[in-house]
Amino acid sequence: MIEFEHVVKEYNGVSAVDDISLELPAGKICVFIGPSGCGKTTSLRLINRMIEPSSGTIRLDGTPVSKIRAEELRRGIGYVIQSVGLLPHMSVRENIGIVPRLLGWDKHKRDTRADELLELIGLSPGAYRDKLPHELSGGEAQRVGVARALAADPPVLLMDEPFGAVDPLGREVLQREFLSLNRELKKTVVFVTHDLDEAIRLGDRIVLMRSGKVVQDDIPERILGAPRNEFVREFVGADRALKRLSCFTVESHMHKAAFLDRALLQNGRPPEDMQVNGTGMLWIVDAGEVLVGMCRRSGGKWGDVREVRAEELGVTTVSSLRDALSRLLGRGLKAVPVLSDDHRLVGEVRLTDIEAVNQSDGYV
Amino acid sequence: MRLACEKTTALGAVIGIGALSLPFLLMKENRVALGIPYLYHTLPGGPHVLLPITLLVMSLAAAFLPQRPAVRATKIVLGQLYLAVMLLALSLSGAVLVAPEAFGRVSPSTGFWLAVLAAYILIQGSLKNAPVVYPVRMFIGAAPLILALGLFLGGGLDSWAVVMEFANRRDRFMSELATHLYISLTAVGLATLIGVPLGVLAWKQRHLEKPVFGGVNGLQTIPSLALFGLMIAPLAYLSRQFPLLRELGVRGIGNAPALIAVTLYALLPITRNAYAGLAAIETGVIDSGRGMGMTRVELMRYVEVPIALPIMLSGVRVSTVQAIGNTAVAALIGAGGLGAFVFQGLGQGAPDLIVMGVLPIIALSIFVDRGLAVLIAVLTPPGQKDVLND
């Protein structure tokens, strides 16, 4: 756990961080966000003493960081920055092994650990361990940067716009990977960004800052759904209703779906006397419950069964409601199927479910 | 069918043939006399003129053949043979010509130097892009030099005016060479001791960047002769005031002002490259190094030195080559060194003496330059190779 207690950082009488008190819970991703100059990066760098506060205390698991020697503190905290900062004259393996080397691990142990981490971040050790940083793409370099930060298995990770220099497509991939990585590793992550979508996608908590002060410190759906003041409302933008949908997974809002085994079709149609509730959608599956088609009932009659490709039509349980909405609108449907990883039908999400989300919590 | 012609070889062959129609050597009765020119075919010694002509015609013919490796190799051999013939002719004719004269000597003339150029074009033109490994390539390039050195050591060039000047001053030559090396290398050492900290300072304290570079740039703009002159008065004064300094050899003229001036000139490349080397480190690299918990010393060891060192050293390399040249001028204020021969030759109107002083200066510069280039290449980590262009 990281605690800020009345932390102030002044430069020539101007406060970059102005009396911040926060508690960042262990094992969660906490995102600092705000316009440039709001003090988010300063706050992050105060944690590993890259910057010393003018007053106030920062505690790491109860111990004030000022009581720990700066180098020792930093070796126990992973650090990832936007420019990555891989040492250009060292191979990927040596780069990952820097902190272990500072900690005095022997070479064999460092190399084993580097390979292990390359595996973890999805780069084949055989192909990547001996590469030099300039031979890596932006996304690969950033993955190596994360691996390097994880090398000595620190409980805390500080990430300062780590994916900011990567193209939008690559950024989403990195975000998704990092999210699933941390679901496993359960590091306490402090993440700085100015990209609201990124904050919503990654954050368990969002700390919105302005002029060195915390404006709102909340879970993402409340930042979007219940902005504390005009600044927050403006910052999250007019499309906050849409953004807010990113906070919810399909899993928590899906319904049971009506489905029929393909073998039970009569002359290529569902039995006329078959009734369905809700949206009137009937999903056709094969013997393995894999989605293969769909059929709509209108005017009391079944239409033709249309063959569908499961992965094109369906969303997965971990997709956000925003993804689901996008599919619904794109297909002109009232519901989309929810599939497991192996394309088996597990439920459906309806347009009405999504409407209900935005009407709950008194959100308008 | 269209004839394809390898232009470089053709050019070399044509220049080679032209060289045979120009004065090949000058015969002088004594060191300051005007020479009598001899064309190649009028030389009293050496292979018949038909031999070099045949070699060149064969090269020219080879230029029109498809450039297979065998053809390339043949052209290199032809070029080497041509050069050997020229050296041989010079050596043999020289011996014959100077024999009856008490102070007689010969100097190579336009024709000979043009022939050397022609041979260079023939050899290097065929070596270019050839799949030859570095040591072999170096040996092919050095072969004519080895031949010339062999001739020189074997006494085959004793009739050369330059060699005669050298023979008359063998002992002094060695001591001046030592002085030259002492002044230039000590100056580079001092400049490194001063320049590297200055460069580091300019990098660390951004507000000092301008004054530091203003200073070293300013020094570089003073003509070397003027700087040597400027040094005389204050050092003479100091020397008179402080006997201790006088005992150390500090006087208005001589070694001390030379050392100071050459050091000041060597400062700019070293300071600038020390700064540039450090500036080449991306800020993110240093930030992440610190963020990972490197101490000041570890940051130097793992980040700053490996990245900056090759660039710093290439500054030292430039400075060393410059210092060797500047030391030659230092002879003017009595510092000694190989420049002494140059100015003596100028004073006596003996061009061969000038050449005798200049040749080792050039050789020294090239030798030191290549040597340091190899050292830098060895010290450059693989990821930094693209930083240096050489």
Side-chain angles (χ1 to χ4, degrees), chain B residues 39-108:
Chain B
L39 266 65
Y40 187 91
H41 65 274
T42 64
L43 289 176
H48 192 272
V49 67
L50 283 179
L51 180 57
I53 290 180
T54 311
L55 292 172
L56 291 168
V57 170
M58 285 170 74
S59 299
L60 196 58
F64 288 93
L65 294 173
Q67 299 297 306
R68 294 203 192 87
V71 176
R72 280 169 178 257
T74 310
K75 287 192 306 183
I76 292 172
V77 171
L78 288 170
Q80 302 276 18
L81 282 177
Y82 174 70
L83 192 59
V85 167
M86 293 296 125
L87 275 167
L88 207 62
L90 191 70
S91 169
L92 294 174
S93 308
V96 174
L97 285 170
V98 299
E101 305 276 349
F103 300 102
R105 58 199 63 206
V106 297
S107 302

Side-chain angles (χ1 to χ4, degrees), chain A residues 45 48 50 69 71 74-75 77 79 81 83-90 98-99 101-102 132 134 148, chain B residues 282-285 287-296 298 301-303 306-307 381-384 386:
Chain A
R45 291 166 71 89
N48 66 349
M50 295 293 276
R69 198 167 66 91
E71 284 83 22
R74 290 175 197 153
R75 286 171 197 179
I77 296 178
Y79 187 58
I81 55 175
S83 61
V84 197
L86 295 179
L87 302 193
H89 56 291
M90 288 187 186
I98 290 173
V99 177
R101 191 162 162 184
L102 297 176
L132 288 163
H134 71 89
R148 183 171 72 167
Chain B
E282 284 171 48
T283 48
V285 171
D287 187 62
S288 71
R290 273 194 349 113
M292 284 186 291
M294 289 189 187
T295 61
R296 195 52 235 144
E298 285 163 342
R301 176 173 157 206
Y302 295 122
V303 184
I307 298 178
Q384 289 298 96
D386 50 336

